[in-house]
Amino acid sequence: MPSQRLLRRSLVAIALAALASGGLLALAGYPAAASAAWSAGTVPVALALLLAILRDLAQGRVGVDAIALLAMSAALAMGESLAGAVVALMYSGGNLLEDFAVARAERELRALVDRAPRVAHRKQGDGLQEMGVDDVRVGDTLVVRAGEIVPVDGHLASATALLDEAALTGEPLPVRRDRGGLLRSGTVNAGETFEMTASATAGESSYAGIVRMVTAAQTAKAPFMRMADRYALLLLPVTLIVAASAWALSGDPVRALAVLVAATPCPLILAAPVAFISGISRAARHGILIKGGGALEALAGARTVVFDKTGTLTVGGARLIAVETAQGQSATEVLRLAASLEQASRHVVAVAVTAAARARGLALEFPRDVRESMGSGLEGTVGTARVAAGSFAYVAAGRRPEAWAQRALRRAAWRSALSVFVSLDGHIIGALLLGDELRNDTPRAVQSLRRLGVSRILMLTGDSEDAAQTIGGALDLDSVLADRVPADKVDAVATEERLAPTVMVGDGINDAPALAAARVGIAMGARGASASSEAADVVILLDRIDCVPQALAIAQRTRAIALQSIWVGLTLSGAAMGLAAFGHLTPVAGALAQEAIDVAVILNALRALVPERGFRQRLLPATRVSGLLLEHVDVGAALDRLREIADALDTADGAPAAALIEEASLIVAGRIVRHEEADRTRVYPLLEAYLADTHGLSAMSRAHREILHLARLLDRLTHDMRGLEIDRFLVRDAQRAIEAIEALVRIHNAQEDDIYEHAAAVGR
């Protein structure tokens, strides 16, 4: 392949140099030398084309390139060297453009191979023998240290093990395995050192199977065939018939040459590659790497899209989604104490907790005298207090959960979240709920795919049914397939592919086989998922799922422009052939006419570089969008506190309940109402200049009115309760108002986010 690329570039350079030097010689008054220069530039291209045609014939393919060969050969034979040189440049240049378009598709699986386990530690008596993973035999007792990759498939010999299985299943949270449990190669020991018994050799283990599936699926893909070849069987015989007829009727062979030159299929040779290159370049500007024209063309025809869950539809990894507290405790303090303690651990959950605390600007203290029980929790001294964090069983030490703790465990189960309970000097004060959340832009991406003509959208994941349905239930999906290992994912994609052209979107190593098996694989590569990126045809370089419908839209428009360019070019070429057949165009004039057609076709194909309304629609500056989104993040902190207050009112009464209601009223008046008024008076008038249709803003204004109405009700209730006895009915009324405001503002802000993103992305 590198030698072919070098040859094509050399041919373009020769043809261009010959055409330019011949032109200079002609202007200087040396026509014979000019003709020789043009002929010298034509011959190498014609010979290379002849070899390519013979190779295609041996493979059973006939392309329109034969017309270009006939035109160059006839031009040389009849002394029309300028026409031959022009045809030579058009042909060689088209090949180079196409070669550039498909060059991105060649990627080796180095990243996947590099991650494969290479070393194992076999237990021998009281010592360990380090050995190559290929030397492991079934029945060997192996030791896997903390942080090491499980070398082969096997069964756990120790009491417990904590494994990070994200590489195989995509599950973001570590999974506990008990004695005798199945361990798969490629997973990572996220806990303490354990022993295992090998049940398979390296070549028969899970990770090696993933490598084989990716390689096999890529090898099975048909090579990209130029769009021009689809019209070859029609254009080639028509051209020969017209040329022969013109010669026979006029008796002038030059007319036949003029027809061949005018019919040189440059619109076919150039239109698709130029349009595809333009579409690929436009996609790259928006962080979407499409690996060649073949991938772009296949993407344009997609009718089914299959999504992985973790890291694709969801943000991926453990994220703090809620803080549950005991009565009288502060959620902020619970998080601060837990994060201070978790600084001493490198566990994935500890990293998530400390990251959440730092994001909220909490001041952390470094713990002392920390003791960690891998997979269960840790305890240590923070300040002057003894703090523990971990599972309920670890923190409670056999005690039964209180009502609030039962509620926290129940909510964690409903949300498929992990719960980390926190105790202070032996008293449980709160719980942190960590899980995987839906991306903010996922619903918008799904709806955009529907509008683009995608008729079937599925979620395919290795996660449990409960976790999958928790996410799938919030989206407009046609099916949710859970508990799928990599081989099952390949089968599912193959089934969908038999029904309609299918796109698979994923981000992990476990998705690589399915990505390679799909007609088009799209990898979310922003987080360095190198194996999936290598297996995919399209790589999203930004951490945004709405880039998927954007890639599809670019592909559809690019293919439409390519087809338009081809048909317009063929129509104009047909007209030029007619003029040449009746003697109105000489070969050189035909070459110039064809050159004009080529320019028109190329200019039209270059429209794929710009959005359809790119010259008419103003875009909201990205910096302004970022500022508006940050305002919503700030409001989100206030909404979190409103949710905590609403929960606390479940058990509060009297003066404590009154204090909570007063605090909620102050938050609503000082943060929520002020934000809504700023949106109404400042932001919405700004957006009107960037939106073609302001109907969405009218709907948002109605939500504004409802939020302000609820805020007035809460303010009135707070004012009237002063001096009154706080009964449970008053508390419940306040609680309902607070919950309604919190829920409505969250939905309202999410809708506004969509509008902001749309105003910044219209016509991209």
Side-chain angles (χ1 to χ4, degrees):
M1 287 299 294
S3 59
Q4 291 184 7
R5 294 194 190 108
L6 179 61
L7 174 62
R8 290 178 176 181
R9 291 170 183 171
S10 300
L11 291 176
V12 171
I14 291 172
L16 185 60
L19 195 61
S21 60
L24 293 175
L25 288 170
L27 290 175
Y30 300 101
S35 179
W38 290 328
S39 298
T42 305
V43 170
V45 178
L47 290 175
L49 178 54
L50 175 61
L51 294 176
I53 290 174
L54 293 175
R55 185 171 59 250
D56 289 344
L57 287 174
Q59 297 174 356
R61 290 179 55 196
V62 179
V64 293
D65 293 348
I67 300 175
L69 178 61
L70 287 173
M72 284 186 279
S73 301
L76 292 176
M78 297 180 186
E80 299 286 346
S81 55
L82 175 58
V86 172
V87 175
L89 180 61
M90 292 300 100
Y91 171 77
S92 58
N95 271 341
L96 183 63
L97 285 171
E98 184 183 18
D99 183 62
F100 178 78
V102 300
R104 295 175 182 266
E106 294 183 356
R107 297 286 189 272
E108 297 180 1
L109 301 176
R110 286 190 298 270
L112 184 60
V113 174
D114 289 345
R115 193 191 179 281
R118 288 182 171 80
V119 176
H121 304 287
R122 181 166 60 191
K123 190 174 182 181
Q124 286 189 329
D126 295 331
L128 293 178
Q129 177 190 7
E130 185 173 298
M131 58 194 303
V133 69
D134 292 332
D135 296 328
V136 175
R137 297 292 175 261
V138 175
D140 285 350
T141 299
L142 306 177
V143 175
V144 182
R145 298 166 178 166
E148 289 185 340
I149 298 175
V150 176
V152 296
D153 290 353
H155 296 279
L156 182 62
S158 300
T160 62
L162 195 66
L163 296 171
D164 177 1
E165 297 188 344
L168 294 183
T169 68
E171 173 57 49
L173 300 177
V175 177
R176 182 184 297 278
R177 291 284 180 263
D178 296 321
R179 190 187 305 274
L182 176 64
L183 307 179
R184 289 182 286 178
S185 64
T187 58
V188 179
N189 181 7
E192 297 176 339
T193 299
F194 62 80
E195 295 182 5
M196 61 174 289
T197 302
S199 61
T201 62
E204 298 171 345
S205 294
S206 301
Y207 202 83
I210 289 177
V211 176
R212 285 195 301 273
M213 284 188 287
V214 173
T215 304
Q218 285 192 326
T219 303
K221 286 186 176 180
F224 170 56
M225 185 179 293
R226 268 196 331 229
M227 192 180 292
D229 293 336
R230 300 174 189 173
Y231 303 94
L233 295 179
L234 174 64
L235 182 61
L236 182 58
V238 168
T239 300
L240 294 177
I241 291 172
V242 173
S245 300
W247 188 352
L249 294 175
S250 67
D252 184 3
V254 175
R255 287 196 184 186
L257 173 60
V259 170
L260 291 176
V261 171
T264 299
C266 291
L268 287 177
I269 295 172
L270 290 176
V274 169
F276 287 165
I277 283 292
S278 300
I280 290 169
S281 298
R282 180 184 164 204
R285 288 202 304 269
H286 298 290
I288 304 168
L289 175 61
I290 301 177
K291 299 180 180 179
L296 186 143
E297 185 181 3
L299 180 61
R303 291 296 175 266
T304 298
V305 176
V306 181
F307 285 102
D308 173 51
K309 181 182 81 72
T310 305
T312 303
L313 293 176
T314 65
V315 294
R319 303 290 180 95
L320 180 66
I321 58 177
V323 181
E324 303 285 341
T325 61
Q327 186 173 2
Q329 298 295 331
S330 164
T332 300
E333 183 63 11
V334 170
L335 177 58
R336 188 190 71 82
L337 290 171
S340 295
L341 178 63
E342 297 283 9
Q343 291 178 102
S345 173
R346 300 178 65 86
H347 194 277
V348 61
V349 171
V351 173
V353 171
T354 54
R358 291 193 175 102
R360 299 188 184 193
L362 302 184
L364 306 183
E365 300 178 67
F366 201 80
R368 307 185 309 277
D369 304 325
V370 177
R371 295 201 305 269
E372 182 170 7
S373 176
M374 294 299 292
S376 297
L378 70 165
E379 60 177 319
T381 301
V382 177
T384 59
R386 195 67 179 169
V387 178
S391 66
F392 180 80
Y394 176 81
V395 174
R399 287 173 288 173
R400 294 179 60 84
E402 299 177 22
W404 75 267
Q406 290 178 343
R407 181 179 67 185
L409 290 169
R410 186 168 57 248
R411 287 179 173 177
W414 288 345
R415 303 178 73 167
S416 298
L418 177 71
S419 56
V420 177
F421 282 81
V422 183
S423 71
L424 178 64
D425 291 330
H427 300 287
I428 303 178
I429 60 173
L432 310 178
L433 271 55
L434 297 102
D436 202 10
E437 292 183 301
L438 196 67
R439 291 175 181 265
N440 291 334
D441 55 343
T442 296
R444 180 170 65 250
V446 171
Q447 292 303 316
S448 296
L449 287 172
R450 297 286 189 195
R451 289 193 294 270
L452 290 168
V454 175
S455 57
R456 183 166 167 79
I457 302 177
L458 302 86
M459 183 170 74
L460 180 61
T461 178
D463 281 4
S464 65
E465 184 72 24
D466 287 343
Q469 291 295 344
T470 298
I471 297 298
L475 299 171
D476 177 24
L477 302 180
D478 296 294
S479 182
V480 174
L481 306 178
D483 294 312
R484 292 325 198 251
V485 298
D488 296 332
K489 290 185 176 184
V490 172
D491 292 340
V493 169
T495 299
E496 295 298 329
E497 185 66 55
R498 285 193 291 269
L499 300 175
T502 298
V503 171
M504 172 68 194
V505 187
D507 78 312
I509 293 174
N510 60 300
D511 300 318
L515 291 172
R519 179 159 313 185
V520 178
I522 300 180
M524 303 296 293
R527 300 177 186 174
S530 55
S532 58
S533 297
E534 297 292 350
D537 304 286
V538 179
V539 180
I540 305 297
L541 303 178
L542 303 177
D543 195 20
R544 298 178 58 90
I545 191 64
D546 59 357
C547 286
V548 174
Q550 187 178 10
L552 182 59
I554 290 173
Q556 289 178 349
R557 184 165 183 266
T558 299
R559 185 180 64 173
I561 289 174
L563 285 170
Q564 182 187 76
S565 299
I566 285 173
W567 283 110
V568 169
L570 287 177
T571 301
L572 294 175
S573 292
M577 288 168 58
L579 292 173
F582 287 101
H584 298 299
L585 285 179
T586 64
V588 173
L592 294 176
Q594 186 57 240
E595 182 70 13
I597 294 172
D598 295 343
V599 171
V601 166
I602 291 173
L603 290 177
N604 187 67
L606 286 174
R607 290 193 301 115
L609 273 173
V610 297
E612 188 171 2
R613 295 175 294 182
F615 297 110
R616 300 194 300 272
Q617 183 68 47
R618 293 178 61 196
L619 301 184
L620 184 64
T623 53
R624 196 62 186 266
V625 174
S626 299
L628 294 172
L629 296 178
L630 285 175
E631 289 180 15
H632 282 175
V633 172
D634 182 59
V635 172
L639 296 177
D640 289 341
R641 181 54 187 158
L642 288 181
R643 179 183 292 174
E644 294 169 5
I645 291 173
D647 285 344
L649 288 174
D650 284 340
T651 56
D653 55 18
L660 289 171
I661 296 171
E662 288 272 8
E663 182 186 355
S665 182
L666 290 173
I667 291 174
V668 171
R671 302 285 292 280
I672 306 302
V673 172
R674 184 178 301 172
H675 172 75
E676 298 301 320
E677 288 292 346
D679 278 355
R680 183 180 63 82
T681 60
R682 176 175 55 86
V683 177
Y684 282 19
L686 168 70
L687 289 175
E688 289 179 356
Y690 297 94
L691 296 174
D693 183 359
T694 59
H695 176 73
L697 293 182
S698 299
M700 291 295 98
S701 295
R702 183 171 181 178
H704 273 296
R705 292 194 297 271
E706 183 61 24
I707 293 169
L708 295 177
H709 171 66
L710 289 170
R712 283 192 295 270
L713 288 179
L714 180 61
D715 180 69
R716 178 68 181 272
L717 186 152
T718 304
H719 182 271
D720 290 349
M721 78 176 183
R722 294 165 185 157
L724 298 177
E725 182 180 352
I726 308 299
D727 58 31
R728 63 187 180 89
F729 300 106
L730 189 150
V731 171
R732 183 61 185 133
D733 286 342
Q735 190 179 39
R736 285 175 176 170
I738 294 168
E739 289 173 339
I741 292 171
E742 185 260 343
L744 183 55
V745 174
R746 286 190 189 277
I747 295 174
H748 180 63
N749 284 355
Q751 292 171 329
E752 286 184 337
D753 287 348
D754 284 346
I755 292 176
Y756 299 159
E757 295 281 359
H758 176 70
V762 167
R764 280 201 304 181

